Amino acid sequence: MRTSPWVVASYAFIIFIGILIALPNVLPQSTLDRMPSWLPHSRVSLGLDLRGGSHLVLEVDHADLLNERLQNLLQDSRRVLRDNGIEPSGVRRSGDVVTVTLRDPAQRGDAVDQLETLASPVGFGTSVGQSDLNVGTPTPNTITLAYTEAGIESHASAAVEQSLEIIRQRVDQVGVAEPTIQRVGSDRVLVQLPGEQDPSRLRQLLGSTAKMSFHLLGNQGEPGVTMLPDEQGQQYPVQDRVELSGDRLTDARAAFDPQTNEPIVNFRFDTAGASRFAQITQANVGRPFAIVLDNKVLSAPVIRQPITGGSGQISGGFTVEEANTLSALLRAGALPAKLTVIEERTVGADLGSDAIEMGVFTGLIGFLLVVGFLILLYGGWGVVANVALFINIILTFAALTMIGATLTLPGIAGIVLGIGIAVDANVLINERIKEETRKGRSAFGAIDAGFKRAYSTIVDSNVTTLIATVLLFWFGSGPVRGFAVTMGFGIIISMFTAVAIVRVAMIWLTGRMKLKKIEIRPLLPIKLVPDGTQIRFMKARFFGIGISLFLSAASIILFFTPGLNYGVDFRGGIQMEVVTEGAADIAAFRSHLDGLGLGDVALQEFGSPNHLLVRVERQQGGEEAQTAAVQSLRAAVVEIDPTAEVERTEVVGPKVSGELATAGILSVVLASIAMLIYIWVRFEWPFAVGAIATLVLDVTKTIGFFAITGLDFNLTAIAAVLTLVGYSVNDKVVVYDRMRENMRLYKKMPLRELIDRSINETLARSLYTSATTFLAMLPMAIWGGSAVSSFAIPMVFGIVIATSSSVFIAAPILLFLGDWRTRRAKKAAADALVEDGEEARPT
């Protein structure tokens, strides 16, 4: 039982490095600035829900991109044919196809060769050599051009890459600190801007294509003229022909008109642009000249005199902020395609600071409750477990700091839950050592046997929880991924702290104190589960299964009537969190907001009388309609109650909500299948069937809990369900592991008696682990706030359900299956005897 000094030194080194890496997270910035440069200075980044800011997901508008590419293809086809002496009778676009009609069919071969020069290769690996353009010849004098699927995907990917750089430039232009701009998938861009709270300005800044062009005005109704509106809705007959495009701009700055003192935007062209601008203004003195941005007329001044200096100005009744935004857009350049905001989440800085304070408070209270409970259970040895738990938290923060993770409020919930689950290993070890001591083993013998017997159970139970965590990370997004990362690290590190560090500490203390026998006693002379408990659980198996089936059936009915309170994550739409100084007048809010014409408006008080949740269905008319609805809601909220503040805004499109719902369902199903396979491999198929059947009953009850309480069923709720799936199986694995062990020890013991014995032997562990996890989550369920209520409250409920189902559901199912297997085996043996007798009978 001696521990190698090298092993002790390695453990000490890991802990020391972990403390150094995690230390900057608790030190003030002034102290960090004075520390030597060779020491770690990195901190865990705070998510937007903790520091305030805006989160947007933008998607390339494929229809707009294809339209733009086809318009260019139309112009390029005319140009390349004209440059090579081929005069077609017509080049027209019909849907997604450009059709070229030749005057002379004999020119078809040359025309095809020239048009194929417009194609570009796309693809990688085995796809290299594919073309983005399909050139066909349906008739002798007709040629068709259409973009291939690979071509459209390639152009969309290139548009995203180009958009990333333009968005970075736009964000830099307005001076947002520490932005996060990254590609998500093949056609999406994620933008996170801390501190920025005006979603309408963000949408204008990031979603505007900012394609500026200069056109002459024509006459309404004549060919080649399109009616375009300005900001006030006035229509202008704008010629389709672009006289000068905005890509010739070299600079744009907001300023004030010296005559009217109104905000304007001054712009300057490059050399070629200045020359072209001079030509246009010289040839069209006295004619109106429209400046168009994204199919809207900014202004249409009359050309009074030739402009040869290469500069001009745009005036359109701008506010100072609008002039600054427009100049930033023009300086950064135009996006290659329209970007649609498909998801938007905005959190106020005040709400973020409150979330940090409440997260730390609830986490600390949960940790102290667990610490106190362990000391009450195991006395001085509970202190050893608590030290390991504290080291676990330090190493978890060190790991998060090393990988540059972002800590969110659900991430704090993951750390708190990880604390509760990490205690499981300590409880298993201590209970095993107590058993070995009761068998008469010496101090070192009990420690050795206790750790050996607990190890496989710890691995099996943690692997099942990690399966759920991995799938959460895989299918989750944003804060849910943050939760998965923190809980995953906590579980993995707990296997090191609870097994390796606690073992070394217990051996050292036992040798130091020269103990002959390990006495793990509670601090108070009270035992929650007395030694030698022999409860006949299987006598109540029909009652337990009956109650469970009844509750699950009721939950299924509740799922349909009244149904779940789906959050904005799953049904799309707009959700706002409003805080007022006094109690919110819900009747006044409802009356006023219903009159905005935004469809069904749902109001819900939560947390306190001055907190109000406003939900509005998704508006018809694309992203501009969502922006207008958000602005209307914000203005109306302040008009109803001048003290009101919008602390959180979420806007989710139907595409995203559908994807999130699909991913959530898929993650729960895959987690269940993965656990079934793992238990089947590690145990036998009846164990797997029992675990999954119980899991279905546990999940349905949790869904019923969501329905009856009206809690938001959103991404955080899916995280709760998945975590409960892992926790439920974790609890059953411990009971199953003892059953498997007892089957080897008591081969002739009846199955019912063996199951009862196994449950009684693990009862203390099940109750203690559930109690610690319950205590860890309880403060967050009570005080955590709306951001984690959909996770913490169902977790508290689910812990009780999972613990009871291990005893009253999973074990009886195993007994039924075991009896069925026994009867089948006896019948097979009897049939074999009959067959043998018939063969032996003389004919």
Side-chain angles (χ1 to χ4, degrees):
M1 289 298 293
R2 292 188 179 184
T3 306
S4 166
W6 290 104
V7 172
V8 175
S10 300
Y11 292 169
F13 178 75
I14 291 171
I15 295 170
F16 175 72
I17 293 298
I19 292 172
L20 277 183
I21 295 172
L23 193 59
N25 292 289
V26 295
L27 294 178
Q29 187 61 47
S30 57
T31 305
L32 274 179
D33 293 339
R34 293 194 300 268
M35 286 172 58
S37 59
W38 52 270
L39 285 175
H41 285 68
S42 299
R43 290 176 169 176
V44 175
S45 300
L46 297 180
L48 296 182
D49 58 348
L50 294 178
R51 59 175 171 170
S54 295
H55 162 110
L56 294 97
V57 178
L58 303 101
E59 184 179 60
V60 171
D61 188 324
H62 285 258
D64 180 76
L65 176 66
L66 182 58
N67 180 65
E68 182 71 21
R69 299 294 305 186
L70 286 168
Q71 285 297 108
N72 292 338
L73 181 62
L74 190 70
Q75 300 299 328
D76 290 343
S77 299
R78 288 171 177 159
R79 175 185 52 79
V80 75
L81 293 175
R82 184 176 63 249
D83 291 349
N84 289 275
I86 301 171
E87 290 295 331
S89 60
V91 180
R92 297 179 181 84
R93 174 185 167 186
S94 176
D96 294 341
V97 178
V98 171
T99 303
V100 178
T101 306
L102 300 173
R103 297 181 188 277
D104 183 2
Q107 292 183 311
R108 188 179 70 171
D110 291 339
V112 168
D113 291 341
Q114 297 303 323
L115 291 172
E116 284 180 342
T117 62
L118 301 175
S120 301
V122 297
F124 299 94
T126 56
S127 300
V128 169
Q130 287 189 2
S131 173
D132 68 337
L133 198 62
N134 185 22
V135 181
T137 52
T139 64
N141 67 331
T142 304
I143 303 171
T144 58
L145 297 93
Y147 282 105
T148 63
E149 196 68 35
I152 294 171
E153 291 178 7
S154 175
H155 292 309
S157 179
V160 170
E161 287 298 322
Q162 188 177 346
S163 299
L164 281 172
E165 296 307 315
I166 293 171
I167 288 173
R168 284 195 183 97
Q169 292 177 39
R170 290 184 180 183
V171 170
D172 289 342
Q173 295 287 348
V174 295
V176 177
E178 299 181 33
T180 299
I181 303 167
Q182 61 188 42
R183 181 171 183 165
V184 180
S186 61
D187 58 356
R188 292 180 184 177
V189 178
L190 167 67
V191 181
Q192 290 185 333
L193 305 176
E196 182 68 54
Q197 296 179 41
D198 185 354
S200 59
R201 187 184 181 206
L202 274 177
R203 283 172 174 267
Q204 184 182 3
L205 184 68
L206 303 178
S208 298
T209 311
K211 288 189 176 178
M212 193 169 92
S213 52
F214 298 83
H215 305 252
L216 291 170
L217 296 189
N219 297 312
Q220 184 176 355
E222 70 179 61
V225 171
T226 303
M227 299 300 293
L228 295 180
D230 62 8
E231 288 293 337
Q232 288 71 43
Q234 183 179 345
Q235 297 286 326
Y236 293 84
V238 178
Q239 292 185 2
D240 293 340
R241 179 182 173 184
V242 176
E243 300 293 337
L244 184 60
S245 64
D247 56 10
R248 289 297 181 185
L249 291 175
T250 59
D251 193 19
R253 300 286 169 183
F256 289 94
D257 190 317
Q259 296 178 354
T260 63
N261 207 33
E262 291 182 350
I264 59 171
V265 175
N266 292 321
F267 59 85
R268 179 172 293 279
F269 291 109
D270 61 13
T271 304
S275 175
R276 176 60 183 156
F277 195 53
Q279 292 174 7
I280 296 167
T281 54
Q282 285 172 350
N284 295 281
V285 172
R287 292 187 62 183
F289 193 49
I291 304 172
V292 177
L293 180 74
D294 291 344
N295 292 322
K296 278 190 177 180
V297 177
L298 291 178
S299 62
V302 175
I303 303 172
R304 302 296 182 190
Q305 59 186 9
I307 303 172
T308 57
S311 63
Q313 68 179 39
I314 305 170
S315 59
F318 305 124
T319 64
V320 173
E321 190 175 80
E322 288 171 343
N324 282 323
T325 301
L326 176 57
S327 61
L329 290 171
L330 297 180
R331 284 196 303 272
L335 290 169
K338 184 180 178 183
L339 292 179
T340 303
V341 180
I342 58 174
E343 182 181 352
E344 172 196 312
R345 302 176 194 272
T346 304
V347 178
D350 291 340
L351 184 61
S353 61
D354 291 344
I356 294 175
E357 184 179 331
M358 195 54 66
V360 172
F361 172 73
T362 55
L364 184 61
I365 295 296
F367 177 73
L368 292 176
L369 287 174
V370 171
V371 166
F373 188 71
L374 282 176
I375 292 174
L376 285 175
L377 279 181
Y378 302 124
W381 297 107
V383 175
V384 175
N386 284 327
V387 170
L389 205 58
F390 187 65
I391 293 172
N392 175 278
I393 296 172
I394 291 173
L395 295 181
T396 299
F397 269 96
L400 295 174
T401 305
M402 286 178 65
I403 67 169
T406 298
L407 185 64
T408 60
L409 195 54
I412 294 176
I415 292 174
V416 174
L417 182 60
I419 290 170
I421 293 177
V423 173
D424 178 44
N426 290 299
V427 170
L428 276 170
I429 290 165
N430 279 294
E431 292 300 318
R432 277 293 194 176
I433 291 174
K434 285 167 67 175
E435 284 184 33
E436 299 303 324
T437 300
R438 286 196 294 268
K439 292 177 183 177
R441 290 185 182 272
S442 65
F444 285 118
I447 292 173
D448 187 45
F451 273 90
K452 283 182 179 177
R453 293 180 183 276
Y455 185 73
S456 64
T457 308
I458 291 170
V459 171
D460 284 336
S461 60
N462 281 335
V463 165
T464 53
T465 310
L466 280 172
I467 288 172
T469 305
V470 168
L471 287 169
L472 258 181
F473 182 82
W474 191 0
F475 288 101
S477 63
V480 175
R481 278 195 163 190
F483 164 80
V485 169
T486 55
M487 193 175 77
F489 272 127
I491 292 170
I492 293 169
I493 292 169
S494 73
M495 296 176 70
F496 166 69
T497 55
V499 177
I501 292 176
V502 170
R503 180 185 172 93
V504 169
M506 292 188 79
I507 291 171
W508 181 80
L509 287 170
T510 301
R512 183 83 174 176
M513 294 186 291
K514 298 180 180 179
L515 298 176
K516 300 297 182 184
K517 192 176 183 182
I518 289 280
E519 293 289 347
I520 300 179
R521 294 175 179 172
L523 193 63
L524 298 175
I526 300 172
K527 288 189 176 182
L528 296 178
V529 181
D531 296 337
T533 301
Q534 293 184 355
I535 302 172
R536 305 294 294 273
F537 289 104
M538 289 304 97
K539 279 193 171 183
R541 63 188 184 278
F542 294 111
F543 176 77
I545 289 179
I547 292 294
S548 179
L549 289 173
F550 171 77
L551 291 175
S552 292
S555 296
I556 292 171
I557 294 171
L558 288 170
F559 174 75
F560 292 103
T561 307
L564 297 177
N565 181 23
Y566 290 104
V568 70
D569 289 336
F570 291 152
R571 65 179 180 182
I574 302 167
Q575 181 170 293
M576 282 184 174
E577 189 174 323
V578 179
V579 178
T580 57
E581 284 187 5
D585 187 345
I586 295 181
F589 272 96
R590 179 173 285 112
S591 174
H592 196 106
L593 296 180
D594 282 342
L596 295 178
L598 300 176
D600 185 28
V601 179
L603 299 177
Q604 176 186 343
E605 180 186 299
F606 69 99
S608 61
N610 67 325
H611 277 73
L612 195 65
L613 201 64
V614 181
R615 286 182 176 145
V616 178
E617 64 188 40
R618 183 164 178 82
Q619 305 300 297
Q620 298 294 323
E623 299 310 316
E624 290 183 359
Q626 315 315 313
T627 300
V630 170
Q631 290 174 326
S632 297
L633 283 170
R634 283 176 172 268
V637 163
V638 176
E639 185 180 338
I640 297 166
D641 187 340
T643 69
E645 291 184 6
V646 178
E647 290 199 326
R648 185 194 299 271
T649 307
E650 296 182 67
V651 183
V652 177
K655 184 175 181 180
V656 172
S657 60
E659 290 172 355
L660 293 177
T662 302
I665 295 169
L666 195 59
S667 60
V668 174
V669 171
L670 288 179
S672 303
I673 294 172
M675 290 176 194
L676 178 129
I677 294 170
Y678 182 81
I679 295 175
W680 199 320
V681 171
R682 288 288 291 158
F683 298 89
E684 291 183 53
W685 70 264
F687 291 89
V689 172
I692 294 303
T694 312
L695 202 60
V696 171
L697 295 174
D698 288 352
V699 169
T700 52
K701 293 187 193 75
T702 306
I703 297 297
F705 180 79
F706 273 104
I708 203 168
T709 58
L711 285 169
D712 262 11
F713 194 79
N714 49 26
L715 278 179
T716 313
I718 288 291
V721 172
L722 257 180
T723 306
L724 281 171
V725 165
Y727 184 84
S728 177
V729 175
N730 173 311
D731 202 62
K732 287 149 191 61
V733 163
V734 175
V735 180
Y736 284 171
D737 193 71
R738 184 57 66 94
M739 288 181 188
R740 181 175 58 181
E741 182 180 330
N742 285 336
M743 284 176 178
R744 295 168 183 162
L745 292 173
Y746 311 104
K747 295 185 178 179
K748 295 185 178 180
M749 182 180 288
L751 184 59
R752 182 181 303 180
E753 185 180 335
L754 187 141
I755 290 174
D756 276 336
R757 182 187 184 97
S758 301
I759 294 173
N760 280 294
E761 288 175 350
T762 57
L763 186 61
R765 174 267 165 198
S766 295
L767 291 178
Y768 295 162
T769 299
S770 298
T772 53
T773 311
F774 182 90
L775 290 173
M777 293 304 302
L778 187 61
M780 189 160 280
I782 297 172
W783 299 298
S786 61
V788 291
S789 59
S790 295
F791 174 82
I793 296 174
M795 276 300 303
V796 169
F797 167 80
I799 288 165
V800 177
I801 292 295
T803 305
S804 59
S805 67
S806 299
V807 175
F808 296 107
I809 312 299
I813 290 174
L814 194 61
L815 176 61
F816 295 148
L817 291 173
D819 288 344
W820 172 75
R821 292 177 77 190
T822 302
R823 288 195 300 271
R824 192 179 68 167
K826 286 181 179 179
K827 184 177 182 304
D831 291 344
L833 285 173
V834 170
E835 289 178 5
D836 290 344
E838 290 177 351
E839 289 177 4
R841 188 182 303 160
T843 57

